[in-house]
Amino acid sequence: MVGRAGLYAVLLANAAVVAVFFAQAGFASNALIVLGRLTGLYAALLMAFQLLLVARLPWFDRRIGMDRLTSWHRWTGFSVLWLLLSHAVFIVLGYARASSLDPVNQLVDLAETVQGVLRAIVALAIILAVGAVSARYARRRLAYETWHFIHLYTYVAVVLAFTHQVAAGTTFASSPAATAYWYALWGVALASVFTGRLVLPLWRNLRHRLRVTAVVPENDDVVSIYVTGRDLDRLPALAGQFFLWRFLTKDRWWQANPFSLSAAPDGRTLRLTAKRAGDGSAALRHLKVGTRVFAEGPYGAFTTLHRTRPDAVLIAGGVGVTPIRALLEELHGHAVVIYRVATDQDAVLYDELRDLALARGAELHLVTGPPVPDRLAPRELARLVPDIAERDVYLCGPPPMMNAVLGSLRELGVPKPQTHFERFSLAG
């Protein structure tokens, strides 16, 4: 809540500052140009905010979670797109009204005579292309690596848009205070991305020098990878968090995949457990001991940091058991663990869960069977955990299972602040 309130406060405060500088710069006589300038300013503000959302700064990530930051990034991105389109349309129509040119010729005239307009047109074209491939229909049909490569062009658009703003923005140059504000705003946004996406990962990996120490198959489809390095007790990782793992072999160094820690960090070893879901994850069982590892993170707000009640319920589905198993090591108070799988053979790490539950005085329920009828309907959850509304609930599993359980929790009256879940979803 603190991180979310902080981001809202930052955005609203900057929106107010932009409005003040816009008013101080004076209004054009043409209402369309006024609207065009205002939508352009707020598009620029949201673009800077976008950079903050994808910067992967630890303070925000631990308190909000990458999945929610990514969701906000997506909706902010489409808001930027519509604001930039509105900016272009209002400006062109406004100047066309004043000059009696048709809109097409007016756009050509602006591109030829006003410094920075051509850069703005290129930036808008890039953002339109990125918006098109980010639409759900297109996104589902693109490999993540392809989408991510196209998405990187957004940074080119950001630079072009900023230089357009410097060259042609009347509000930007209306006063020394306005100029200083815009440079400070964009400086903080760009520095956040540079620090969170480049400097911090490089520094941590140079410091810890991670390597694979063991590769342990859990069953035919699931494998655990043990990683060690230097000074791991100084790595600020918590149970429930995940890393973007990059194994530096000749055929995998360019692939980064999100996998949760499947054991609480102990200062000596990190463990991830992955299910075969494609060529990349299937190849993990063939990793050699000694393989160098480049890990970005830790990321995620699915931790004990957000506990609101002394007791908890941990609900896992399939390989979603990995962060749940790690959390069980760190949780204090009474815990009920519900593990949902299709068959007993699918219950990876079950022996570890059973031993941990016995050692910590937790209840463990293995729920098996096909997804229909649902084994985690409200009545069944209430039977397994009669006081569920008085506990924190941690949930991780496949999206259909998570959606069904979240519906059950709402029906059982579990307050939203007591419900903790995270979906792996990466941006930019």
Side-chain angles (χ1 to χ4, degrees), residues 212-256:
V212 174
T213 56
V215 179
V216 180
E218 303 291 351
N219 63 24
D220 291 342
D221 294 319
V222 179
V223 63
S224 289
I225 310 295
Y226 292 78
V227 175
T228 192
R230 300 188 309 183
D231 301 324
L232 289 188
D233 56 316
R234 297 186 179 183
L235 182 65
L238 300 173
Q241 291 191 301
F242 68 96
F243 287 79
L244 299 179
W245 301 93
R246 198 183 299 267
F247 297 96
L248 303 184
T249 63
K250 64 179 181 179
D251 56 344
R252 287 191 54 88
W253 64 267
W254 53 274
Q255 290 183 324

Side-chain angles (χ1 to χ4, degrees), residues 145-156:
E145 290 78 14
T146 302
W147 172 84
H148 186 259
F149 179 77
I150 296 172
H151 205 79
L152 289 176
Y153 280 97
T154 304
Y155 293 106
V156 177

Side-chain angles (χ1 to χ4, degrees), residues 160 198 253 311 324:
L160 292 172
L198 183 63
W253 64 267
D311 299 329
I324 295 295

Side-chain angles (χ1 to χ4, degrees), residues 90-384:
F90 286 140
I91 288 292
V92 170
L93 292 179
Y95 278 99
R97 175 182 291 181
S99 66
S100 299
L101 292 173
D102 65 85
V104 174
N105 284 319
Q106 182 61 66
L107 178 61
V108 172
D109 181 70
L110 288 171
E112 292 177 344
T113 60
V114 179
Q115 185 181 4
V117 169
L118 185 58
R119 292 194 291 268
I121 293 172
V122 175
L124 179 58
I126 291 173
I127 290 173
L128 284 170
V130 172
V133 300
S134 296
R136 294 190 185 280
Y137 179 82
R139 180 69 184 87
R140 290 170 181 163
R141 286 159 177 77
L142 285 175
Y144 171 77
E145 290 78 14
T146 302
W147 172 84
H148 186 259
F149 179 77
I150 296 172
H151 205 79
L152 289 176
Y153 280 97
T154 304
Y155 293 106
V156 177
V158 166
V159 173
L160 292 172
F162 179 69
T163 58
H164 160 70
Q165 185 182 32
V166 171
T170 56
T171 301
F172 182 90
S174 62
S175 69
T179 303
Y181 164 77
W182 282 110
Y183 273 119
L185 174 71
W186 281 86
V188 169
L190 291 170
S192 296
V193 172
F194 184 72
T195 300
R197 301 292 292 266
L198 183 63
V199 174
L200 192 56
L202 284 174
W203 179 77
R204 282 180 174 168
N205 280 276
L206 285 172
R207 179 181 191 179
H208 299 299
R209 299 186 179 275
L210 302 175
R211 291 183 180 274
V212 174
T213 56
V215 179
V216 180
E218 303 291 351
N219 63 24
D220 291 342
D221 294 319
V222 179
V223 63
S224 289
I225 310 295
Y226 292 78
V227 175
T228 192
R230 300 188 309 183
D231 301 324
L232 289 188
D233 56 316
R234 297 186 179 183
L235 182 65
L238 300 173
Q241 291 191 301
F242 68 96
F243 287 79
L244 299 179
W245 301 93
R246 198 183 299 267
F247 297 96
L248 303 184
T249 63
K250 64 179 181 179
D251 56 344
R252 287 191 54 88
W253 64 267
W254 53 274
Q255 290 183 324
N257 298 106
F259 295 117
S260 294
L261 296 173
S262 58
D266 60 7
R268 301 182 304 276
T269 303
L270 303 174
R271 186 181 75 173
L272 63 123
T273 301
K275 182 178 181 180
R276 180 168 55 188
D279 293 340
S281 53
L284 290 177
R285 64 178 56 236
H286 303 299
L287 285 173
K288 304 296 185 184
V289 171
T291 298
R292 291 290 303 274
V293 182
F294 188 94
E296 298 176 50
Y299 298 127
F302 192 66
T303 69
T304 58
L305 183 66
H306 301 284
R307 292 225 22 209
T308 65
R309 294 290 185 271
D311 299 329
V313 181
L314 308 178
I315 304 176
V319 79
V321 72
T322 56
I324 295 295
R325 183 255 181 253
L327 280 170
L328 184 57
E329 287 188 79
E330 281 195 359
L331 282 172
H332 298 287
H334 184 261
V336 178
V337 183
I338 302 173
Y339 189 7
R340 177 76 173 92
V341 290
T343 67
D344 290 347
Q345 289 71 32
D346 296 319
V348 296
L349 306 182
Y350 178 76
D351 290 344
E352 294 184 20
L353 273 180
R354 182 191 58 213
D355 293 343
L356 272 173
L358 183 63
R360 304 186 70 85
E363 297 179 33
L364 175 61
H365 301 281
L366 182 64
V367 181
T368 61
V372 179
D374 185 31
R375 300 299 200 278
L376 297 180
R379 180 179 297 180
E380 182 64 11
L381 281 179
R383 184 186 69 80
L384 293 173

Side-chain angles (χ1 to χ4, degrees), residues 30-37 87 89-91 93-95 97:
N30 188 315
L32 289 173
I33 296 177
V34 172
L35 286 172
R37 290 175 178 172
H87 168 67
V89 170
F90 286 140
I91 288 292
L93 292 179
Y95 278 99
R97 175 182 291 181

Side-chain angles (χ1 to χ4, degrees), residues 1 4 68 301-315 324 327 331 385-396 405-406 409-410 412-422:
M1 292 298 291
R4 188 178 309 180
R68 289 170 179 83
F302 192 66
T303 69
T304 58
L305 183 66
H306 301 284
R307 292 225 22 209
T308 65
R309 294 290 185 271
D311 299 329
V313 181
L314 308 178
I315 304 176
I324 295 295
L327 280 170
L331 282 172
V385 195
D387 62 342
I388 192 169
E390 303 301 322
R391 295 172 177 259
D392 277 305
V393 180
Y394 286 84
L395 169 65
C396 188
V405 172
L406 288 172
L409 296 177
R410 286 193 295 269
L412 291 170
V414 178
K416 194 171 182 179
Q418 293 171 216
T419 304
H420 313 283
F421 64 94
E422 198 161 37

